[in-house]
Amino acid sequence: MRVLVIDDDPKITALLRRALTFEGYEVITAASGQEGIDMALQENPDLVVLDIMLPGLDGWEVCRQLRQHSTVPILMLTARDEVADRVKGLNLGADDYLVKPFALEELLARVHAMLRRSKQLEEAGRRLRFADLTLDLDSREARRGERTFALTAKEFDLLKLFMENPRRVLARDMIMDRIWGYDYSGESNVLEVYIGMLRQKLEEKGEARLIHTVRGVGYVLREIS
């Protein structure tokens, strides 16, 4: 399994690299917030160890941006043991929080636990659910209530992205990058076309709309009461 360490302290980075490598993990590192975001999106790590005090983008912003694109487990490190800081990190999407200086054994135990929990969730959660919508990742079957409907490959990928990020506004460019790739050079309105086709299938029997347009930004999967 691959662990990304985002920390600008070379001593901490070297310590974590040695310890995690000894435990059998592949370790990659980044020394700034932007580099960390880029590596997380490119290398697809299984877990991120993220320091808060970073040059450029701080750990808060890195965590916020990663949660717009990824569900990777995030363990935040900070020198400040303030309740407000812990709450802020968890509200931004961090999964756990460790205060410096930390005992290496505790950090390794938390990493093991987070990766084990992530693996269990992955094995048990082969179905994504939101409201009355279910997406089976093995059969690639979609269901709205009791109604089952088929999806094309791209429709499946697009709906899966939304269901992995419920209630989060997904920017149009991010969706294009994730589903069609950075080098896509096809029709500029391809996303709008696929959103329309997805909505047609999701709302075929008059069901309430779940995929909503956020004007000037992108789209979001959410219920409107």
Side-chain angles (χ1 to χ4, degrees), residues 7-35:
D7 197 312
D8 65 330
D9 185 332
K11 291 183 180 179
I12 295 291
T13 300
L15 173 68
L16 294 181
R17 182 191 291 276
R18 286 195 302 269
L20 290 167
T21 300
F22 184 79
E23 293 293 315
Y25 300 114
E26 178 185 352
V27 182
I28 53 178
T29 64
S32 71
Q34 188 58 58
E35 182 186 8

Side-chain angles (χ1 to χ4, degrees), residues 139-197:
S139 68
R140 301 176 74 88
E141 179 181 85
R143 180 182 296 272
R144 186 84 194 262
E146 298 301 315
R147 178 174 63 86
T148 301
F149 54 95
L151 297 170
T152 67
K154 280 289 188 269
E155 288 172 347
F156 175 87
D157 291 343
L158 185 57
L159 184 57
K160 178 173 178 285
L161 178 62
F162 279 117
M163 294 186 71
E164 289 174 336
N165 298 273
R167 303 181 186 88
R168 295 182 183 274
V169 177
L170 303 182
R172 186 183 188 281
D173 289 346
M174 186 275 277
I175 299 173
M176 292 296 299
D177 292 340
R178 290 285 296 275
I179 304 302
W180 282 274
Y182 288 93
D183 57 351
Y184 180 78
S185 58
E187 294 294 331
S188 61
N189 68 335
V190 64
L191 176 56
E192 287 72 20
V193 171
Y194 272 87
I195 291 291
M197 292 191 298

